[in-house]
Amino acid sequence: MSAEAAAAPAAAKTGGWEPKIVAFCCNWCSYGGADSAGMGRFQQPASTRIIRVMCSGRIDPLHVFNAFLEGADAVLVTGCHIGDCHYVNGNDKTKIKYKYLENVARELGIEKERLQLNWISASEGEKFANFIRDVTAQIKKLGPSPLKPEGVA
Amino acid sequence: MQKSEMYVGWSTKEDVRKRGGSGGLVTSMLAAALEKKLVDAVVVLKKINEFEAVPIITSDVNEVLNSAGSLHSVPSNFAKLIANRNLKVALPAKGCDVRGIIEQGKRNAINLDNTFIVGLNCGGSMHPVVTREMLEVMYKLKPEDVHGEEIEKGKLIFETKDGKEHAITIDELEEKGYGRRESCRYCTIKVPNNSDIACGNWGVTGDLVGKATFVEINSEKGAKLLQNAIDAGYVQVQKPDEKGIAMRAKIKGVMEDLGKKWKGKVFVPIDNGRLEYFRKELEHCIDCGACKAVCPTCSCGDVSKCTEYHFRGDAYKMSMYHLVRFLHLADACIGCGQCSDVCPVDIPLTRLYRRFANPVQEQLKYEPGMDMRKPPYFEVKLNE
Amino acid sequence: MSDIKGTENKGAVAKDNEEKRVGVFVCECGVNIGGVVNTKAVADYIGTLPGVKVTSVNKFTCSDSGQADIQQKIKEHNLNRVVVAACSPKTHEPTFRACIEQMGLNQYFLEFVNIRDHCSWIHMWEKEKATEKAKDLIRMGVERSKLLEPLQASEVPVTDKALVIGAGVAGMQSALDLADMGFQVYLVEKEPSIGGRMARFDKVFPTNDCSICILGPKMVEVARNKNIKIMSYSEVKAVEGYVGNFNVKVEHKPRYLDVAKCTGCAKCSEVCPVEVPYDFNEGFGTRKAIYVPFPQAVPLRAVLDKENCISCKACAKACQSGAINYDMQTSYTDINVGVIVGAVGFKTYDPEPRHDFGYGLYDNVITAMEFERLLNAAGPTGGHVVRPSDCKEPIRVGFVNCVGSRDKATNIYCSGVCCMVTIKNAQLLKEKRPETDHTIMYIDIRTPFRGYEESYNRSRALGVKFLRGRPVEVKEDPVTKNIKVRVEDTLANEIRNLEFDLIVLATGIVPHEGINQIQQLLKLSKAADGLLMEAHPKLKPVDTTIDGVFLAGVASGPKDIPYAVSQGSACAGRATILLKNKKAITEGITAVVNPEVCVGCQVCIPMCPFQAIKMDETPYLNTGIKKANVVKALCKGCGTCVTACPTGALEQSHFKNNQLLAQIKNVFKFQEVAA
């Protein structure tokens, strides 16, 4: 068992506000990465809800914004490493589309920690877990998203 | 004739030349294109009064010849007018019109091979309602008495029916919130080199001032259009003098610099409370959809991603409709100002869209409507 | 003007008005889930959601009894949607799809929620939070399930012909197997003869058989097979279509002679005055401008190398069958095939540009492939290994392994075969000339398959020395042209200064220049190593992500001969499934265009890497606008075009906007704020 896993019981007791994070994962890489994190029992905060799409190219800014408007404290856009796309180059398109997203989010005043892009392969379970842990810690510092509607958890 | 050649020309038709602000070249060129079947239709403005005109698509040469006359307060954008009509058409176009037409071309709604774009130099246009108010408040004139208007040496001059001229500097007008539309102030496309042929009075010198038009050929189509008008006997041209060319370049430079200065003035970075700023600006939105309907770069029909997932009942802190539009326009907005013009609750939409479009377009080094380059998102090739 | 005020949620309202009757099955996966998540509490909560008619908790939902429970409840409660909350869909989605399909439900009416890998396993000490998260995840799944639509996998007919690209040993095997199963095969080879790299080897490890002696008969077998049409000196230039129906354009380079008349007698070569380095012999020795590629070539026909021809026409005079035709042009053949096997091969790493270990600077540093040709009885020296500087037979030979492999500066992967190549080469020379002295400098010796370790042992027994270490300095003695090597013997822990008459570099396997073109033509993916990607590294090693396209041999990673031959056969077997059934089942999850909404803006067209979106030829109804259309057999269902579509006319079935938004919205729940 990893060091993180062993340390988890102590962390669990601290409790406090748990952010809600929506992670979009592509079927072939990052979703598999999340599975690998499970198989490796890499413990993570219970902050994230994964939504599976076939390719990161399918992650529509529409969905990202909707997640924020519904109350997401952070939204993660994830996919295969560049060059490894199951559909040749869907993630290259994601990379550019993400630039638009990022700019619009930034201009709207959404902090950069709340919208993140990461390439995670199906074998990178530990990377996935570390990513979730890092983002959750960052968001805990920032507090709830300014776009979160009243009364939503 | 070929690309980047410059000429000074005028109409050979006496009445057109007299009525036209600058020798009636544009009108005659359009009429000749129709007459000689270079195109099947021409877009012209049909004047209702000094402040209002409607664009019409006509195949009647006389209607084209009778349309001459310039108005600074008709800011409509022609791109959507000719979209999805499959026309062989020639039309006059300000810089923003040209950009709209090119963007529609990229979206397969206009066949640019069949579209002859006569670009018009443009220092800015005015909103008709604002103009009327300005006449009363600033000029102390009755709008009905106004007969004509002109911009000269930084002054906006109105001529009344009694023959008198009334001048105020544009700077002073704009300081008081009148004058050109906001988007025109920070626009930097003053000579539309993205059109087939760019026309205007900048660079006309000597005796010809007010009686001729300076043209620059930007494409083969532009050359064809001018040559056709000359061959048909509608237009005469001569080479411009060096002084004129230099003068035109100087005015263009000054206007562009002014545009850039305005851009800095309008888009002051908001350090804190950006979300609140956008929420406040959008709070009166009544979801009428006029901004989308008028947008010359949008090619969607009634059903589109911005409308389909937007519900008035949602207790969202921002409108889904506007968010999707902000994103879709990030690489498409040409800053024409149409959305602000039509908004019934006076939301400065263009200003909002540009807030998002400016950084994206700068970062991606992509300016929509200037050439046929597709947005970078659509240019991802295999193995990149 | 479009008025968006009060717009109905057209996207979110499912078209059918059938009442959604959802059954939710929560799996405990033994203690994997049940030990962390309070499954009873979860089931109780989910039971309160609208539309949920029944919930059930099972120890193992995937077991026979678990599946029987699902089937029984479908019947009992007349369920039309099934949500299984268990492991990863990658593990058991197919299981449960089959399970509900047996009950007459469309298999796409299953929603699979991952509460093990994504929940219980990663929140082992936060039982309460894990339970809350499981509730959220299942709630998301329930709401999505209500919007799921039935999908049908579609069938396309398959032309019962195959194309094999590359006639090396893997491609030849594939072609032979397919032909023997009764299918017509086009075998396209870019060189003038089939045979590939194996035709150039002298002997093959570990048995040290003569390579051409075992390959030659196979080449003849290919030529004789009535079902195989060899297209040598030809290249694939265009591929259109999809599984079952590929239209392929093959370019035939001009040989400048009529292959029907040429007898391969090589009289033309005898009279040709032009001599150029002989590529078949790795540049050693010469060939003529008109030549037969090698004595065992198939087809045994000459080819005129126009680049070096001086148009003296001596060959035309010498040719007794009048085969020479200087005006021959490039020609093309269009073929239609149902499947494609890519066996496009490799090249060996070129140490010249980097001057690895002095290659290209010092005459007496050669590559293993060059050594191989020197060893060959039909090679430039008649089988005498000589060193290039003075044509003397070397006594002290040093071999350097892993050149261009296992090196961050070149390729990080292991080329797999070079250890055995070196062992074999040292053995062969030692056997021929026992007085020779061999030192193999290696990082690790890798001998994984049958007979390899034995061969390694035999080398040691013969007296071949193995030195673990990589030369750090290689210098030429300017007088003797001997090569002086400074190398750390990492086993003895000492620096050794050695002198050799000849150095042989075991150069690794790298993709050849043509691989990009093939990748683009077949729309394949490329791995980080530059070689082509298989559909799955373990379970689909010869399939690709493109239906009907298979990969054999080194193009998808380093392999030895038996491995490449097995892959050739494997491709033939996989392809036969399609060819024999005469139909292919294509993915049910595809993009779909709603022509009512499409405005024909064409932004989707460049988004598709598979060119699956075509514009209609005629305008839609009376709109005057040509609409986009998805060719289902080509669509792989990634959904990238759907994201790009500004109107929402494009939707990805099973991942529709409203289905994904239903998930997003149900991540959250509205909580009454306490007053």
Side-chain angles (χ1 to χ4, degrees):
Chain A
M1 197 168 286
S2 70
E4 293 85 1
K13 277 177 210 144
T14 57
W17 173 69
E18 191 76 69
K20 265 206 172 160
I21 298 169
V22 175
F24 292 96
C25 292
C26 86
N27 183 58
W28 307 98
C29 293
S30 48
Y31 191 90
D35 279 357
S36 297
M39 281 179 241
R41 309 295 195 276
F42 294 114
Q43 300 300 299
Q44 306 158 35
S47 55
T48 306
R49 308 290 181 266
I50 288 175
I51 292 173
R52 179 169 70 125
V53 288
M54 293 309 280
C55 177
S56 64
R58 176 68 185 101
I59 304 168
D60 198 317
L62 171 81
H63 305 149
V64 174
F65 283 135
N66 197 255
F68 275 122
L69 293 179
E70 285 286 346
D73 296 302
V75 179
L76 311 177
V77 176
T78 66
C80 305
H81 286 276
I82 294 295
D84 286 352
C85 180
H86 187 77
Y87 304 101
V88 185
N89 60 358
N91 51 3
D92 287 283
K93 290 159 197 158
T94 306
K95 202 167 114 186
I96 297 184
K97 196 93 192 168
Y98 184 80
K99 275 192 192 165
Y100 294 29
L101 249 175
E102 202 180 20
N103 271 298
V104 172
R106 218 57 81 246
E107 204 54 47
L108 269 178
I110 299 173
E111 299 93 331
K112 68 177 192 302
E113 291 84 354
R114 297 196 192 275
L115 177 64
Q116 299 196 30
L117 173 75
N118 209 336
W119 309 128
I120 299 166
S121 83
S123 58
E124 293 174 326
E126 191 164 12
K127 180 177 176 183
F128 190 94
N130 288 340
F131 181 47
I132 298 302
R133 214 175 292 130
D134 291 348
V135 176
T136 308
Q138 289 163 0
I139 301 305
K140 275 192 172 178
K141 250 184 226 163
L142 281 176
S145 160
L147 279 170
K148 195 191 272 286
E150 302 296 324
V152 163
Chain B
M1 282 187 174
Q2 58 188 12
K3 196 173 162 264
S4 77
E5 278 181 1
M6 298 180 190
Y7 295 95
V8 171
W10 52 86
S11 172
T12 55
K13 311 254 172 214
E14 186 72 33
D15 58 322
V16 177
R17 191 165 70 234
K18 278 193 177 152
R19 242 180 320 116
S22 315
L25 177 109
V26 170
T27 306
S28 286
M29 204 158 59
L30 293 171
L34 199 54
E35 170 91 38
K36 294 293 166 193
K37 305 263 181 274
L38 204 58
V39 294
D40 301 328
V42 163
V43 177
V44 289
L45 284 173
K46 198 167 179 177
K47 205 160 160 176
I48 295 171
N49 58 42
E50 282 302 326
F51 309 99
E52 284 170 275
V54 284
I56 54 164
I57 301 173
T58 176
S59 297
D60 180 350
V61 178
N62 285 325
E63 201 157 18
V64 176
L65 289 171
N66 288 331
S67 71
S70 76
L71 289 142
H72 279 103
S73 55
V74 182
S76 62
N77 195 311
F78 295 160
K80 274 215 159 157
L81 182 71
I82 59 167
N84 289 319
R85 285 181 193 256
N86 208 10
L87 290 171
K88 209 166 177 192
V89 67
L91 74 169
K94 307 182 294 296
C96 50
D97 288 303
V98 184
R99 297 179 76 175
I101 294 163
I102 289 176
E103 285 303 301
Q104 289 291 334
K106 288 181 198 173
R107 287 158 181 77
N108 202 33
I110 291 177
N111 181 350
L112 293 176
D113 292 339
N114 287 339
T115 309
F116 291 80
I117 313 171
V118 180
L120 305 177
N121 293 356
C122 177
S125 56
M126 298 182 296
H127 195 284
V129 175
V130 178
T131 308
R132 281 168 174 273
E133 191 185 305
M134 173 178 74
L135 280 167
E136 284 169 1
V137 176
M138 300 292 292
Y139 288 80
K140 315 286 180 207
L141 292 172
K142 282 187 183 155
E144 303 77 62
D145 294 340
V146 172
H147 177 61
E149 47 104 11
E150 199 177 339
I151 295 175
E152 213 181 284
K153 297 203 171 122
K155 283 182 183 165
L156 178 63
I157 305 158
F158 284 95
E159 196 187 317
T160 38
K161 283 172 184 159
D162 57 13
K164 283 187 188 154
E165 288 190 347
H166 311 261
I168 301 180
T169 65
I170 292 176
D171 284 347
E172 189 187 337
L173 294 171
E174 288 179 358
E175 204 135 293
K176 300 266 162 65
Y178 297 106
R180 296 172 301 163
R181 296 151 70 241
E182 184 181 278
S183 53
C184 297
R185 295 180 202 164
Y186 57 75
C187 167
T188 52
I189 314 301
K190 302 301 180 184
V191 173
N193 287 109
N194 48 352
S195 66
D196 292 315
I197 183 167
C199 307
N201 56 8
W202 303 340
V204 178
T205 52
D207 294 345
L208 288 172
V209 170
K211 295 177 188 128
T213 300
F214 189 110
V215 299
E216 182 181 353
I217 296 171
N218 296 321
S219 73
E220 259 174 53
K221 266 188 291 160
K224 212 161 145 189
L225 201 59
L226 184 58
Q227 191 65 55
N228 172 70
I230 295 167
D231 295 347
Y234 273 62
V235 158
Q236 275 179 352
V237 296
Q238 66 183 42
K239 286 269 176 197
D241 53 24
E242 288 300 321
K243 198 180 132 201
I245 295 173
M247 201 170 94
R248 177 173 177 267
K250 196 180 158 194
I251 299 173
K252 178 174 179 259
V254 169
M255 294 294 284
E256 282 172 4
D257 287 347
L258 191 65
K260 282 178 201 151
K261 228 161 86 190
W262 265 109
K263 197 171 173 181
K265 253 194 214 167
V266 175
F267 299 104
V268 180
I270 306 166
D271 291 331
N272 287 309
R274 268 174 279 182
L275 186 60
E276 282 61 44
Y277 166 75
F278 286 104
R279 290 189 62 191
K280 183 129 193 64
E281 291 289 14
L282 291 171
E283 76 184 343
H284 297 298
C285 176
I286 56 168
D287 290 350
C288 71
C291 45
K292 176 196 160 210
V294 78
C295 179
T297 70
C298 171
S299 64
C300 296
D302 286 348
V303 178
S304 57
K305 269 186 187 156
C306 54
T307 59
E308 287 310 278
Y309 303 98
H310 173 84
F311 313 105
R312 277 188 82 68
D314 284 332
Y316 292 158
K317 289 202 172 171
M318 277 286 283
S319 143
M320 206 47 202
Y321 166 76
H322 286 295
L323 267 180
V324 174
R325 287 216 15 103
F326 288 153
L327 196 115
H328 281 193
L329 281 166
D331 66 357
C333 179
I334 56 170
C336 68
Q338 298 288 305
C339 43
S340 295
D341 286 349
V342 298
C343 182
V345 291
D346 289 339
I347 300 171
L349 284 158
T350 315
R351 205 193 298 163
L352 304 190
Y353 289 129
R354 290 311 305 177
R355 282 256 175 216
F356 300 99
N358 287 341
V360 171
Q361 293 176 10
E362 270 160 36
Q363 256 181 47
L364 298 173
K365 297 188 175 57
Y366 170 75
E367 261 190 299
M370 298 310 290
D371 49 43
M372 280 309 282
R373 198 186 142 200
K374 293 264 168 89
Y377 177 45
F378 299 109
E379 275 193 329
V380 178
K381 300 260 158 48
L382 288 170
N383 312 314
E384 264 186 4
Chain C
M1 195 168 287
S2 78
D3 182 350
I4 64 166
K5 182 167 46 178
T7 308
E8 277 288 305
N9 187 353
K10 287 175 206 148
V13 175
K15 282 185 193 96
D16 61 324
N17 294 316
E18 186 195 11
E19 188 206 357
K20 299 300 174 311
R21 305 178 62 83
V22 187
V24 181
F25 299 86
V26 182
C27 178
E28 295 200 312
C29 196
V31 293
N32 280 308
I33 295 168
V36 177
V37 172
N38 182 344
T39 48
K40 165 104 184 23
V42 169
D44 287 349
Y45 165 73
I46 296 298
T48 65
L49 297 177
V52 176
K53 300 298 170 199
V54 61
T55 60
S56 175
V57 178
N58 275 291
K59 203 93 204 139
F60 290 102
T61 311
C62 60
S63 67
D64 282 350
S65 64
Q67 293 193 48
D69 180 46
I70 294 177
Q71 295 189 332
Q72 191 201 332
K73 294 218 161 62
I74 289 175
K75 211 152 83 186
E76 239 169 64
H77 299 271
N78 193 21
L79 302 177
N80 52 22
R81 295 292 186 280
V82 171
V83 176
V84 174
C87 47
S88 168
K90 297 195 173 225
T91 317
H92 272 312
E93 194 171 53
T95 314
F96 295 111
R97 279 186 173 176
C99 167
I100 70 164
E101 200 170 33
Q102 274 181 3
M103 297 306 290
L105 283 185
N106 186 284
Q107 55 166 322
Y108 290 94
F109 283 159
L110 171 81
E111 173 63 16
F112 203 102
V113 180
N114 189 336
I115 57 165
R116 188 187 69 181
D117 307 39
H118 292 186
C119 187
S120 65
W121 274 353
I122 56 171
H123 311 307
M124 290 166 77
W125 294 281
E126 295 182 284
K127 295 189 177 180
E128 262 168 48
K129 281 185 176 174
T131 302
E132 285 311 302
K133 178 168 169 178
K135 287 180 188 172
D136 286 356
L137 290 172
I138 300 172
R139 185 176 64 237
M140 290 158 66
V142 166
E143 291 310 316
R144 177 178 144 90
S145 80
K146 293 183 196 166
L147 298 168
L148 291 176
E149 291 171 11
L151 298 179
Q152 299 302 336
S154 49
E155 261 179 28
V156 290
V158 173
T159 306
D160 60 352
K161 295 188 174 98
L163 164 67
V164 177
I165 306 172
V169 68
M172 279 162 47
Q173 186 64 46
S174 225
L176 277 171
D177 286 0
L178 285 163
D180 287 347
M181 286 188 268
F183 303 108
Q184 159 112 52
V185 182
Y186 299 97
L187 180 58
V188 175
E189 169 57 49
K190 71 175 190 301
E191 298 293 331
S193 169
I194 64 170
R197 306 295 299 189
M198 191 178 163
R200 298 189 186 193
F201 299 149
D202 175 47
K203 303 272 191 315
V204 288
F205 60 79
T207 49
N208 298 1
D209 299 276
C210 156
S211 184
I212 196 71
C213 311
I214 54 175
L215 186 71
K218 214 174 189 77
M219 290 162 67
V220 174
E221 203 185 323
V222 170
R224 283 204 189 128
N225 196 308
K226 288 201 173 59
N227 281 339
I228 300 178
K229 169 123 184 73
I230 298 176
M231 294 176 164
S232 60
Y233 214 35
S234 302
E235 281 183 49
V236 172
K237 283 290 160 188
V239 178
E240 272 180 16
Y242 42 83
V243 55
N245 184 24
F246 292 105
N247 292 310
V248 182
K249 189 184 263 315
V250 182
E251 178 189 273
H252 310 295
K253 291 173 271 189
R255 277 176 183 263
Y256 300 104
L257 53 84
D258 185 343
V259 284
K261 290 182 185 161
C262 176
T263 60
C265 70
K267 280 271 182 321
C268 49
S269 302
E270 286 167 24
V271 299
C272 178
V274 183
E275 292 198 4
V276 291
Y278 191 11
D279 37 6
F280 185 76
N281 274 344
E282 298 291 312
F284 285 134
T286 58
R287 64 159 169 82
K288 299 298 184 62
I290 187 164
Y291 64 106
V292 174
F294 53 98
Q296 299 84 355
V298 170
L300 191 64
R301 300 288 182 268
V303 58
L304 174 67
D305 160 16
K306 198 80 169 190
E307 220 167 271
N308 292 305
C309 173
I310 56 167
S311 302
C312 69
K313 312 222 162 131
C315 50
K317 280 176 217 141
C319 181
Q320 287 164 346
S321 44
I324 313 287
N325 172 8
Y326 296 108
D327 302 322
M328 200 172 230
Q329 299 291 319
T330 303
S331 62
Y332 297 91
T333 309
D334 291 313
I335 57 176
N336 180 265
V337 295
V339 296
I340 298 176
V341 175
V344 297
F346 68 103
K347 65 172 191 178
T348 45
Y349 170 75
D350 180 9
E352 172 98 47
R354 285 167 39 89
H355 298 305
D356 297 279
F357 305 103
Y359 186 89
L361 298 176
Y362 313 137
D363 289 344
N364 294 331
V365 179
I366 64 172
T367 68
M369 214 41 216
E370 288 164 349
F371 189 82
E372 193 98 36
R373 291 314 299 162
L374 292 174
L375 269 176
N376 190 273
T381 53
H384 294 280
V385 173
V386 295
R387 55 187 218 154
S389 69
D390 49 14
C391 283
K392 283 193 185 135
E393 296 194 83
I395 299 294
R396 296 164 300 174
V397 184
F399 294 88
V400 181
N401 276 11
C402 301
V403 180
S405 306
R406 304 186 66 198
D407 182 348
K408 277 182 188 160
T410 54
N411 294 305
I412 53 163
Y413 56 85
C414 168
S415 292
V417 294
C418 336
C419 284
M420 286 307 297
V421 168
T422 301
I423 288 168
K424 174 206 71 176
N425 285 345
Q427 258 174 37
L428 290 174
L429 187 56
K430 185 80 185 169
E431 283 170 350
K432 255 187 194 172
R433 291 177 39 229
E435 72 275 21
T436 50
D437 181 41
H438 301 271
T439 306
I440 295 179
M441 288 161 274
Y442 66 96
I443 303 177
D444 298 290
I445 290 290
R446 297 186 168 175
T447 60
F449 297 115
R450 175 180 280 175
Y452 290 12
E453 184 71 7
E454 291 87 329
S455 177
Y456 171 46
N457 290 337
R458 217 163 78 76
S459 288
R460 301 190 79 116
L462 276 170
V464 175
K465 291 175 218 154
F466 288 81
L467 189 160
R468 200 183 82 177
R470 215 165 149 77
V472 288
E473 193 179 82
V474 177
K475 272 192 174 165
E476 182 185 60
D477 183 318
V479 182
T480 61
K481 300 283 174 187
N482 288 345
I483 305 294
K484 290 182 171 168
V485 172
R486 193 172 153 81
V487 55
E488 183 188 355
D489 183 336
T490 56
L491 290 179
N493 233 344
E494 61 181 37
I495 302 290
R496 308 263 303 268
N497 289 297
L498 304 171
E499 188 166 337
F500 296 105
D501 302 325
L502 182 70
I503 288 283
V504 183
L505 308 181
T507 47
I509 284 170
V510 291
H512 64 68
E513 296 79 7
I515 210 156
N516 287 341
Q517 196 191 342
I518 291 291
Q519 184 210 354
Q520 279 163 25
L521 284 172
L522 299 177
K523 302 168 194 106
L524 301 175
S525 319
K526 217 160 71 172
D529 57 18
L531 293 160
L532 299 173
M533 279 270 273
E534 61 281 64
H536 189 283
K538 302 278 168 254
L539 302 177
K540 286 185 175 179
V542 298
D543 291 32
T544 66
T545 51
I546 305 296
D547 291 341
V549 176
F550 305 92
L551 288 177
V554 180
S556 57
K559 287 170 191 78
D560 59 9
I561 292 166
Y563 191 173
V565 171
S566 323
Q567 283 210 321
S569 284
C571 285
R574 300 286 294 157
T576 301
I577 297 170
L578 294 166
L579 296 171
K580 187 180 158 292
N581 289 337
K582 294 194 171 63
K583 64 182 185 197
I585 310 292
T586 60
E587 176 59 88
I589 298 171
T590 61
V592 187
V593 179
N594 178 355
E596 295 288 337
V597 175
C598 176
V599 291
C601 71
Q602 302 190 1
V603 300
C604 50
I605 306 263
M607 297 314 288
C608 180
F610 309 105
Q611 281 125 55
I613 310 175
K614 308 262 186 276
M615 295 308 288
D616 281 342
E617 307 243 316
T618 50
Y620 177 72
L621 301 178
N622 56 356
T623 58
I625 297 172
K626 292 172 187 168
K627 309 278 177 158
N629 197 353
V630 175
V631 182
K632 289 219 169 155
L634 280 175
C635 177
K636 308 292 290 178
C638 66
T640 306
C641 58
V642 180
T643 300
C645 177
T647 63
L650 265 165
E651 276 281 21
Q652 183 187 10
S653 52
H654 212 59
F655 290 91
K656 295 182 75 166
N657 283 318
N658 64 342
Q659 294 164 348
L660 294 170
L661 287 169
Q663 274 179 289
I664 295 165
K665 289 177 200 298
N666 282 285
V667 166
F668 311 95
K669 51 180 191 270
F670 188 77
Q671 281 185 340
E672 292 294 334
V673 185

